[in-house]
């Protein structure tokens, strides 16, 4: 293991040395590069020529930026000489992206045109450095903080599920996992501020440990991203950015509250950020408490409550040589696990000490303290994020340590006893070297991976104790020829997994093993601006994923899944080849986008019900309950889909915006199993129609006013994996949503507070999402309905109070 690690690092250093020798630039001119230059300018409205305050000017690669003042002026000091990609963005305007070559102090003037469509953002996901969205060959969706404030959700993944091609696998309002184009679990990699998020993402009932209130921006890469990120990114990447430095010599604060009517969820979040002569920091803290949610069929759903407490931030220094930041976060969630058990009259019941059960009371429903069974998730993280200018080249290093503790409590007589307790420690590391752009070529090499150890400390074991070592090295390059951008690269990964015996008390129920998985991945693609209005993209990528520990070795049950699960130690690595093509047409008053893809899998891993020898479901008795048994299997399979959007903003009604977004994904096994060829748990087709009205200035004291109405249509999902009754079909439903909000400003144009009111499911429709795990909870004997239904009508009231002042 150590020899392989040393070999990869040696290869990386050799590549760097060879390339630097050829160009003679890595260590040359280092002192010259340390000279500081300043970048300043003014930003005005294209129609009125009036200055625009509050515009964000940001250089993503060096994590430095500024906000325009009342005169539309900005200034960024202490930048390194060289080429920088600057992003200029403001709500309601088209984003401007500019490559600036700073050889000395530079001042520029920019004008912004009104627009409601974002198609020119700067992204950092899936590429070696900050790049324009329209110049990458794959599909990336960008959500900014203002997009999140205009949506009602109980966690960050539910908010992202509004985007085409993105869904969520949920186990109640506190626990959601991302699904991209029909693929979830360990096929979707979550990145938070440059660090891969490592909890227990192999399970249905395990969400991601990130505070929604602290999020500044999210980038969603749809498609294999194994080239840059390695195994576990074959479906895509959710890149969540929380810490963004504020402008120099500025201190900013923020207080945010949110109240949701359906489950009485209360959120309080505050943060304080500053930047004084390059020394910058951000600290935040939040608290969320929610009672049981309700709908018309179930009433209040017992034990769907949760409470959550988080804090985090970073501190560091930015200079002309680059930056060094120390990041930290602590996440603590206690969430009830919904089992859906009711008495003969349809009332929810709860266990009582000494045996037996009783009906849940109004006091139980209103409490925010989870009852038995529940889980407690604690996730602590610390990371060191660095970027160094070496001549006109750049070296980035990110090292992180995470401690994830997941405890499940299931015994009412011993409430402090942990039925399951996973204690996971992870070290992640990433090193990338980016050469300066030479004749349109941008090239980088990198090494990244992780070392992981998981221990069982609970009464039971579902997965064995294990140790994992993961290392990969890659080469990536991009060539820009006028309006054409070609990019691609190759990568090799190696994963070593050592698992101990799986124990049931003093008995062994699973034999330990050592596994070694290695494979190549890569991609090649192009993005072409055929004209100022038309952009086409084509990308071919090969993904790779090693089986997770649960897929290989699980043997047991836990409360959240409502099933007994068997692993399969003979599983092979998944590999996939995806072809992705898209076309975008944009004019001043209409935008049309179409994306299609086909993903071919070898050894696709899925789980299915086991059939008893006598026929019917295979059942296992656990603590007096009969649970259906599932086992992991693999076959060749194909996924394919379509995403389309049309956005109309007609003239002269520039304040009106009408958008339609449709997404469809289908999955098929090459060979049928028990007469079923559909892959399990594929999201239903989805169509969203939104009508939105925007006014940049409604009155002197009211700016950025908007009101919107949304019809969210989810079609029936009848293409299910019916073998052994693994999953059930889901009926269609339509939800009516709305939102309105505005910024309230002083006479000097300073924002005093922002208010958003969001209404979800205004018609109080009773429905079940196809990817809701609560569909498979116990039957309501009084009505004959299976499982628990999703949340009914809900209003979310969000208040944000910003504070800002100059230090000098």
């Amino acid at each position: 293991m150590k020899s392989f690690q040393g070999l990869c690092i040696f290869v990386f250093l050799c590549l760097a040395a060879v390339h630097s020798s050829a160009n003679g630039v890595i260590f040359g001119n280092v002192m010259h590069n340390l000279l500081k230059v300043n970048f300043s300018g003014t930003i005005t409205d294209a129609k009125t020529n009036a200055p625009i305050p509050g515009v964000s000017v940001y250089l993503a690669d060096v994590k430095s930026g500024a906000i325009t003042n009342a005169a539309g002026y900005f200034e960024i000091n202490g930048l390194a000489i060289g080429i920088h990609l600057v992003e200029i963005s403001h709500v309601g305007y088209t984003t401007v992206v500019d490559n600036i070559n700073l050889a000395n102090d530079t001042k520029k003037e920019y004008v912004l045109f009104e627009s409601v469509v974002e198609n020119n953002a700067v992204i950092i996901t899936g590429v070696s450095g900050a790049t324009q969205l329209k110049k990458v060959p794959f599909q990336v969706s960008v959500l900014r903080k203002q997009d999140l404030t205009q949506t009602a959700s109980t966690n960050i993944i539910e908010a992202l599920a509004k985007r085409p091609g993105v869904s969520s696998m949920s186990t109640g309002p506190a626990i959601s996992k991302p699904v991209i184009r029909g693929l979830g679990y360990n096929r979707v990699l979550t990145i938070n501020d440059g660090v891969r998020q490592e909890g227990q993402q192999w399970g249905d009932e395990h969400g991601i440990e990130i505070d929604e209130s602290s999020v500044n921006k999210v980038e969603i890469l749809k498609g294999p991203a194994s080239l840059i990120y390695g195994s576990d990114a074959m479906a895509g990447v959710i890149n969540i950015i929380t810490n963004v430095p504020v402008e120099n010599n500025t201190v900013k604060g923020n207080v945010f509250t949110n109240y949701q009517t359906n489950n009485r969820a209360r959120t309080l979040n505050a943060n304080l950020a500053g930047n004084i002569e390059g020394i910058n920091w951000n600290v935040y803290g939040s608290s969320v408490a929610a009672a049981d949610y309700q709908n018309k069929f179930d009433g209040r759903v017992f034990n769907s409550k949760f409470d959550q407490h988080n804090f985090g931030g970073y501190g560091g220094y930015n200079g002309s040589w680059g930056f060094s930041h120390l990041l930290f976060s602590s996440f603590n969630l206690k969430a009830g696990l919904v089992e859906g058990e009711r008495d003969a009259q349809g009332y929810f019941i709860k266990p009582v000490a000494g045996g037996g059960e009783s009906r849940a009371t109004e006091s139980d429903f209103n409490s925010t303290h989870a009852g038995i069974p529940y889980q407690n998730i604690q996730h602590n993280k610390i990371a060191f994020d660095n970027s160094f200018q070496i001549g006109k080249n750049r070296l980035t290093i990110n090292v992180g340590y995470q401690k994830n503790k997941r405890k499940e409590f299931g015994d009412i007589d011993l409430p402090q006893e942990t039925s399951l307790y996973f204690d996971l420690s992870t070290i992640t590391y990433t090193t990338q070297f980016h050469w300066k752009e030479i004749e349109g070529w941008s090239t980088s090499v990198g090494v990244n991976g992780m070392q992981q150890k998981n221990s069982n400390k609970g009464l039971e074991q579902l997965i064995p104790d294990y140790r994992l070592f993961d290392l990969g090295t890659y080469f990536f390059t991009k060539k820009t020829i006028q309006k054409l951008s070609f990019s691609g690269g190759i990568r090799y990964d190696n994963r070593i997994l050592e698992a101990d015996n799986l124990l049931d008390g003093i008995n062994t129920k699973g034999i330990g093993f050592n596994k070694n998985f290695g494979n190549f991945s890569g991609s090649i693609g192009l993005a072409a601006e055929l004209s100022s209005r038309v952009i086409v993209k084509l990308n071919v990528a090969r993904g790779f994923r090693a089986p997770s520990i649960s897929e290989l070795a699980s043997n047991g049950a836990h409360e959240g899944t409502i099933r007994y699960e068997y692993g399969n130690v003979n599983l092979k690595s998944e590999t996939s080849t995806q072809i992705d093509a898209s076309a975008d047409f944009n004019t001043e008053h209409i935008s049309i986008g179409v994306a299609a893809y086909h993903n071919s899998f070898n050894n696709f891993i899925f789980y299915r019900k086991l059939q008893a020898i006598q026929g019917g479901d295979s059942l296992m008795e656990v603590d007096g309950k009969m649970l259906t048994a599932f086992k992991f299997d693999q076959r060749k399979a194909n996924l394919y889909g379509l995403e389309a959007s049309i956005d109309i903003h007609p003239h002269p009604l520039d304040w009106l915006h009408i958008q339609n977004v449709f997404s469809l994904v289908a999955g098929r096994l090459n060979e049928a199993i028990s007469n079923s060829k559909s892959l399990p748990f594929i999201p239903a087709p989805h169509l969203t129609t939104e009508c939105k009205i925007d006014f940049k200035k409604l009155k002197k004291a009211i700016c950025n006013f908007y009101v919107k109405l949304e019809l969210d249509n989810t079609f029936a999902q009848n293409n299910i994996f019916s073998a052994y009754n693994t999953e059930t079909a889901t009926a269609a439903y339509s939800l009516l949503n709305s939102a309105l909000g505005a910024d309230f400003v002083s006479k000097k144009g300073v924002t005093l507070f922002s208010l958003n009111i969001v209404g979800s499911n205004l018609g109080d429709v009773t429905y079940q999402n196809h990817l809701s795990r609560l569909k498979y909870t116990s039957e309501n004997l009084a009505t004959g309905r299976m499982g628990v239904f999703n949340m009914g009508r809900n209003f979310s009231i969000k208040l944000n109070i910003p504070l800002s002042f100059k230090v000098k």
Side-chain angles (χ1 to χ4, degrees):
M1 183 169 65
K2 291 182 178 179
S3 61
F4 179 80
Q5 179 183 10
L7 175 62
C8 289
I9 295 174
F10 177 75
V11 170
F12 164 70
L13 293 174
C14 287
L15 285 171
V18 169
H19 200 286
S20 63
S21 176
N23 294 284
V25 294
I26 288 186
F27 297 104
N29 300 321
V30 172
M31 296 305 296
H32 175 62
N33 189 70
L34 293 178
L35 294 175
K36 296 181 179 181
V37 295
N38 302 322
F39 174 51
S40 62
T42 56
I43 302 175
T44 57
D45 186 294
K47 287 186 177 180
T48 65
N49 292 323
I52 309 175
V55 178
S56 170
V57 183
Y58 189 62
L59 289 74
D61 277 341
V62 296
K63 294 189 177 181
S64 185
I67 302 293
T68 57
N69 60 19
Y73 178 77
F74 70 89
E75 184 173 347
I76 307 173
N77 299 317
L79 294 173
I81 64 169
I83 298 175
H84 296 270
L85 188 68
V86 58
E87 179 185 37
I88 301 169
S89 60
H90 192 275
V91 178
Y93 289 93
T94 300
T95 297
V96 171
V97 178
D98 189 16
N99 268 299
I100 54 174
N101 192 349
L102 299 181
N104 44 48
D105 290 350
T106 301
K107 185 173 183 180
K108 300 193 72 172
E109 295 181 355
Y110 296 98
V111 294
L112 299 187
F113 292 85
E114 292 186 8
S115 175
V116 292
V117 180
E118 177 62 270
N119 55 20
N120 195 35
V122 169
I123 64 165
I124 60 173
T125 307
V127 290
S128 59
T131 305
Q132 281 180 269
L133 177 59
K134 64 183 180 181
K135 291 186 177 181
V136 296
F138 39 79
Q139 296 297 303
V140 180
S141 292
V142 177
L143 287 88
R144 302 186 188 277
K145 196 172 187 69
Q146 59 264 25
D147 299 315
L148 299 174
T149 60
Q150 297 179 15
T151 302
S153 60
T154 55
N155 59 70
I156 183 62
I157 299 303
E158 289 295 329
L160 304 184
K162 299 287 185 180
R163 291 289 164 154
V166 183
S167 310
S168 67
M169 177 79 73
S170 64
T171 310
I175 304 167
S176 295
K177 301 182 67 64
V179 176
I180 297 178
R181 292 178 169 177
L183 300 172
Y185 302 101
N186 284 67
R187 301 182 184 97
V188 176
L189 182 63
T190 301
I191 304 289
N192 183 210
D193 289 325
V195 182
R196 61 181 291 161
Q197 193 77 6
E198 282 296 322
Q200 308 281 352
Q201 56 262 49
W202 45 266
D204 299 284
E205 73 299 344
H206 301 153
I208 65 170
E209 308 84 359
I210 296 174
D211 175 25
E212 178 185 2
S213 302
S214 68
V215 176
N216 273 289
K217 181 181 178 182
V218 183
E219 297 176 0
I220 306 169
L221 190 158
K222 294 177 284 187
S226 300
L227 171 62
I228 299 293
Y229 302 104
S231 182
D232 301 344
M234 67 186 316
V237 174
I238 307 287
N239 187 8
I240 299 175
I241 301 165
T242 57
N243 294 308
V244 178
V246 301
E247 60 186 309
N248 195 28
N249 296 325
T250 301
V251 174
K252 291 189 174 183
N254 200 75
V255 178
F256 171 79
T257 64
N258 180 16
Y259 178 75
Q260 299 191 44
T261 59
N262 186 286
N263 61 349
R264 304 186 180 107
R266 289 89 77 183
T267 300
L268 177 62
N269 170 269
N271 84 293
L272 183 68
N275 187 347
I276 301 176
E277 299 297 337
I279 300 174
N280 53 90
W281 72 89
N282 178 37
V283 291
Y284 66 84
S286 70
S287 177
V288 185
D292 292 332
Y293 79 85
Q294 62 182 323
N295 60 60
K296 286 196 298 185
F297 283 175
D298 299 310
R300 291 207 172 270
V301 177
F302 175 64
N303 216 25
S304 59
K305 56 180 63 67
F306 65 94
D307 66 274
Q308 179 180 305
H309 305 280
N310 315 304
F311 71 87
Y314 84 98
Y317 184 78
N318 285 51
S320 60
W321 51 268
F323 63 82
S324 287
H325 295 160
L326 183 67
L327 302 90
F328 62 94
S329 66
S330 179
F331 178 95
N332 193 320
L333 168 68
K334 291 183 179 180
L337 295 172
V338 178
E339 295 187 317
E341 294 186 350
R342 285 163 272 210
D343 60 20
Q345 288 74 44
Y347 292 94
F348 282 103
I349 55 177
K350 63 178 183 178
V352 294
E357 54 200 25
S358 66
R359 286 181 178 177
T361 66
E362 195 66 24
S363 175
D364 293 322
F365 293 132
N366 291 331
S367 171
T368 60
H369 299 291
I372 299 290
Y374 74 94
Q375 65 173 321
N376 179 210
I377 304 167
Q378 297 170 292
H379 191 95
N380 297 312
K381 178 173 58 180
I382 187 168
F384 195 36
D385 189 26
N386 305 272
S387 178
F388 304 103
Q389 290 293 135
I390 303 176
K392 295 184 178 180
N393 311 287
R394 186 164 56 92
L395 174 68
T396 61
I397 301 173
N398 187 298
V399 180
Y401 174 77
Q402 299 170 69
K403 186 72 167 179
N404 183 277
K405 296 181 179 181
R406 293 181 182 268
K407 307 174 186 178
E408 293 187 6
F409 301 85
D411 191 336
I412 190 65
D413 293 311
L414 298 170
Q416 301 304 314
E417 182 181 76
T418 53
S419 301
L420 291 171
Y421 182 174
F422 308 107
D423 188 346
L424 178 67
S425 299
T426 305
I427 298 173
T428 59
Y429 41 88
T430 300
T431 299
Q432 298 173 314
F433 191 88
H434 312 271
W435 283 282
K436 72 171 186 177
E437 183 176 316
I438 301 175
E439 297 181 353
W441 287 97
S442 299
T443 302
S444 66
V445 294
V447 173
N448 52 16
M450 65 178 175
Q451 188 166 334
Q452 199 168 71
K453 180 181 180 182
N454 191 82
S455 301
N456 286 287
K457 297 183 177 180
L459 185 66
E460 304 167 6
Q461 290 191 7
L462 173 63
I463 59 173
D465 293 353
Y466 72 89
R467 292 155 301 284
L468 179 150
F469 180 79
D470 190 29
L471 183 67
T473 183
Y474 73 88
F475 172 85
F476 178 87
T477 190
K478 182 180 73 173
K479 170 68 172 177
T480 302
I481 307 173
Q482 296 180 344
K483 299 295 184 178
L484 290 176
S485 295
F486 299 88
S487 62
I490 191 169
R491 177 188 182 96
Y492 182 79
D493 279 281
N494 185 260
R495 173 169 290 185
I496 298 172
L497 180 63
E498 301 173 352
D500 296 339
N501 290 340
L502 184 62
L503 302 178
D504 183 4
I506 61 173
N507 300 316
T508 298
K509 60 178 178 178
I511 304 299
F513 58 84
N514 293 337
K515 290 281 186 178
N516 193 319
F517 301 97
N519 222 311
F520 285 93
S521 53
S523 70
I524 185 169
L526 67 88
E529 296 180 62
L530 301 184
S531 70
S532 59
R533 297 182 174 182
V534 180
I535 300 173
V536 296
K537 299 180 179 182
L538 177 66
N539 193 64
V540 180
R542 185 181 193 273
F544 154 71
R545 182 179 76 90
S548 69
I549 185 65
S550 65
E551 293 167 337
L552 291 166
S554 61
N555 187 336
H558 49 169
E559 303 290 346
T561 59
I562 323 168
R563 69 172 185 263
Y564 195 96
E565 184 178 283
Y566 290 100
N568 184 348
V569 73
N570 296 315
L571 293 176
K572 300 176 181 178
S573 296
E574 282 185 342
T575 57
S576 71
T577 302
Q578 177 164 310
I579 301 174
D580 194 315
S582 68
D584 292 280
F585 174 77
N586 297 284
T587 69
E588 186 178 356
H589 302 297
I590 187 169
S591 300
I592 301 172
V594 179
Y597 57 91
H598 180 270
N599 203 349
S600 177
F601 275 84
N602 286 320
N603 304 319
F604 182 84
I605 299 173
F606 62 100
Y607 63 79
R608 60 176 177 85
K609 280 186 179 179
L610 285 177
Q611 192 173 30
I613 297 175
Q614 298 82 8
D617 295 341
S618 176
L619 300 176
M620 295 290 293
E621 183 177 353
V622 179
D623 298 329
K625 299 178 182 179
M626 300 305 293
L627 300 179
T628 305
F630 285 76
K631 185 173 183 176
F632 287 98
D633 200 352
Q634 60 186 171
R635 295 283 193 279
K636 288 187 176 182
N638 289 275
L639 283 98
Y640 46 90
L642 174 73
E643 295 154 11
S645 65
I646 179 169
D647 201 302
I648 303 170
H649 29 102
H651 183 74
L653 307 178
D654 297 325
W655 42 265
L656 178 62
H657 160 66
I658 302 171
Q659 183 187 60
N660 290 276
V661 178
F662 176 74
S663 59
L664 167 71
V665 59
R668 304 279 287 175
L669 293 164
N670 287 18
E671 297 181 2
I673 298 177
S674 188
N675 297 319
S676 180
K677 294 191 73 172
S678 295
L679 288 180
F681 307 111
I682 297 297
H686 188 218
L687 171 65
T688 301
T689 300
E690 177 186 282
C691 182
K692 185 176 182 181
I693 295 172
D694 279 288
F695 290 102
K696 289 183 175 56
K697 199 162 191 178
L698 190 63
K699 292 185 177 181
K700 288 185 178 180
I702 302 177
C703 294
N704 298 320
F705 172 83
Y706 75 93
V707 58
K708 71 176 181 178
L709 193 65
E710 176 189 85
L711 184 60
D712 190 342
N713 300 286
T714 301
F715 296 82
Q717 180 55 289
N718 297 314
N719 296 319
I720 61 172
F721 184 61
S722 58
Y724 318 118
N725 298 314
T726 296
E727 65 173 334
T728 59
T730 309
Y733 56 90
S734 295
L735 307 180
L736 185 64
N737 308 316
S738 67
L740 66 88
D743 297 332
F744 294 82
V745 301
S746 67
K747 293 181 179 180
K748 296 182 179 180
V750 177
T751 300
L752 302 175
F753 65 91
S754 301
L755 181 64
N756 291 270
I757 302 174
V758 184
S760 301
N761 192 7
L762 298 181
D764 204 18
V765 174
T766 310
Y767 70 99
Q768 288 179 322
N769 185 283
H770 186 66
L771 298 185
S772 171
R773 296 296 307 161
L774 300 187
K775 276 183 58 182
Y776 302 96
T777 55
S778 301
E779 178 186 359
N780 185 340
L781 298 177
T783 64
R785 299 187 183 102
M786 283 299 302
V788 170
F789 288 74
N790 288 74
M791 186 179 288
R793 182 185 296 116
N794 183 36
F795 290 96
S796 178
I797 304 168
K798 303 180 181 183
L799 176 66
N800 190 72
I801 304 173
L803 301 169
S804 179
F805 57 90
K806 286 285 187 181
V807 177
K808 293 184 179 181

